[in-house]
Every structure is written in structure tokens, then in C-alpha cells.
Amino acid sequence: PQERGEEVFQAALHYLAAGDSHRGAGALFRLVKSEGAKKERLGEAWFRLGEHYRETGKKNEAADAYRKCMEFTTSFAYRAQFQ
């Protein structure tokens, strides 16, 4: 299951890098809702979801995602505090 979580995380990063934020966000959402995700990836996943929501005008969803990000001790938690 953790290998699958890493595959989903990498797919999300590739979608985002290719400019397909909707597919990237979909993959990130699946990742954060799965039980196979590594904890160190979840902070980044929540942060990137927050960024997607912010960029698409979904302020409440962005704020929720940033708050979830801050539950994980990563550099992304620090960044989420300023969003």
C-alpha cells in the first residue's frame, strides 16, 4: 500500500509539473484520503492541494488544506502558516 501511495504522489507531481493542476489535485486528494500514504508526503500533499484551491479561488478549501498541512512536521507546514 505505501508503494501505491508513492506512485500516486509522483503522478500528482508530474501532472502539476505538466500544468495539469486538476489531475494533479485529483491525485493529491486520493493520496491524502488513502491509508497508504507516507506521513512525510502528506504535509506536502496537503500544501499542494491548498495551493491548487487558492489558485482556483476556493479560499475555504485552501485554508482547510493549509491547516491540515500544518499537522505534519515538514518545511511545508512552515510555508502553510503564511498562506
Side-chain angles (χ1 to χ4, degrees):
Q2 281 195 343
E3 294 84 20
R4 178 78 175 124
E6 185 63 21
E7 291 171 6
V8 172
F9 180 77
Q10 291 299 322
L13 293 183
H14 289 292
Y15 282 129
L16 294 172
D20 192 341
S21 65
H22 291 288
R23 282 188 172 169
L28 290 170
F29 189 78
R30 283 191 308 277
L31 178 72
V32 299
K33 296 300 179 185
S34 74
E35 294 184 19
K38 293 179 181 179
K39 294 206 184 282
E40 56 267 18
R41 293 295 196 195
L42 290 174
E44 182 175 357
W46 279 113
F47 180 82
R48 291 182 184 272
L49 270 175
E51 292 289 281
H52 168 75
Y53 290 139
R54 183 180 57 81
E55 291 167 2
T56 56
K58 297 177 180 177
K59 293 180 182 181
N60 292 335
E61 290 89 341
D64 290 342
Y66 291 134
R67 277 192 287 279
K68 287 295 287 183
C69 171
M70 288 186 277
E71 293 177 13
F72 299 91
T73 308
T74 68
S75 62
F76 291 94
Y78 178 79
R79 293 171 62 184
Q81 292 178 47
F82 298 100
Q83 297 303 318

